Amino acid sequence: MAKLVILTPGLTGRAHDLSVDLTTIGRVEDNMFQIPEASVSSHHCEVQLRGNELFIQDHNSTNGTFINGEKISEGVLKPGQTLRLGNVELRLEGIAAAVSTLAPAPAPVKRQAAAPGGVSLSDLESGGRPPGFDSKEFSKKRNKAGIYFWLAFGVVILLIAGLLYIAYHSILPQK
């Protein structure tokens, strides 16, 4: 059975069987292969085994996806090559057994493009901020509606108090 095996110290020996058509890889739990390491994006990439090759599609990860040190957005991992996700290195193993038992794989899954001016699904899945994004330029928005509400509430209370005062003094007999 074909599997991806982590080579990076501290995570060495962790592996994932590639028994399904499409496998998502990332740091968060909803991925099929979770790699809890800070340099791996929450939804880093997806892989698909076809024959003796592993097709890889990066999901705009922050620290990149590399095959033999070359950064890719899409690529093919062949036996003997190294896949790196952020700072985590992986190797494809057990491919000889998988080739004889697997039927030809379906075509890769196509992602639907975003509407003009919209955000693509892969952008949403990648999470995080784009490189060069400086959050210091933004500040917390003040809640002016709350201030106006309490100001109006105070004015209404003063009007009611004034009307009650006038009504009380107009009802009382004058001395």
Side-chain angles (χ1 to χ4, degrees), residues 13-14 34 37-38 72 131 142 173:
R14 287 185 55 130
Q34 181 188 10
E37 207 278 329
I72 59 140
R142 291 189 173 258

Side-chain angles (χ1 to χ4, degrees), residues 106-152:
V109 174
K110 295 282 186 182
R111 293 220 174 252
Q112 198 171 25
V119 178
S120 70
L121 178 60
S122 60
D123 288 344
L124 291 174
E125 289 176 339
S126 67
R129 304 254 194 263
F133 181 84
D134 187 13
S135 62
K136 294 176 186 171
E137 295 176 12
F138 299 97
S139 60
K140 185 177 179 183
K141 185 177 178 182
R142 291 189 173 258
N143 186 358
K144 291 182 181 179
I147 293 170
Y148 293 138
F149 171 79
W150 287 110
L151 190 60

